[in-house]
Amino acid sequence: EGVRAIAAREEQLIRQMGEGLPRMPGVEVFQAPAGSKAQAGVLSFRVRGWDCEELGEELGRRGIALRAGLHCAPLAHRTAGTLETGTLRASVSAFTTPREVQEFLRTLGVLLKT
């Protein structure tokens, strides 16, 4: 496929995630500005009223694997204003599909309604 094709697909998946997450109540997304090439294959977010570690565990029980906490980057969290809360970090790869991103968004949406 080539590195460029894989990178373009990952960008599209992150864009899909970055458009879906802010539509959910209480979700704050930390991402590069629209149109920026600075966004990698990861997206950080947090949800008002949820501890990121607890939400990560709940998603894990539902088959969604992501990282929660400070991600070995406390200075970045200080800059983002998330040092006290941490974030959840979702990532995509060459093997992630748009359907899997949609399922992640659906599962999170259902969980946030409970």
Side-chain angles (χ1 to χ4, degrees), residues 13 16-24 64 98-111:
L13 294 170
Q16 178 186 355
M17 215 181 283
E19 291 171 359
L21 284 170
R23 294 181 181 146
M24 297 179 199
I64 306 295
R99 184 176 180 159
E100 288 170 320
V101 171
Q102 213 35 53
E103 181 60 20
F104 158 67
L105 294 170
R106 187 197 67 75
T107 301
L108 178 62
V110 167
L111 182 59

Side-chain angles (χ1 to χ4, degrees), residues 30 43 49 52 65 94 102 112:
F30 301 90
L43 191 62
C52 69
Q102 213 35 53
L112 297 182

Side-chain angles (χ1 to χ4, degrees), residues 27-44:
V27 175
E28 180 180 14
V29 179
F30 301 90
Q31 62 185 340
S36 170
K37 291 289 183 183
Q39 187 71 46
V42 298
L43 191 62
S44 293

Side-chain angles (χ1 to χ4, degrees), residues 76-96:
H77 283 278
R78 182 177 298 145
T79 301
T82 58
L83 186 60
E84 297 299 318
T85 63
T87 62
L88 288 151
R89 186 176 69 197
S91 61
V92 297
S93 77
F95 304 103
T96 305

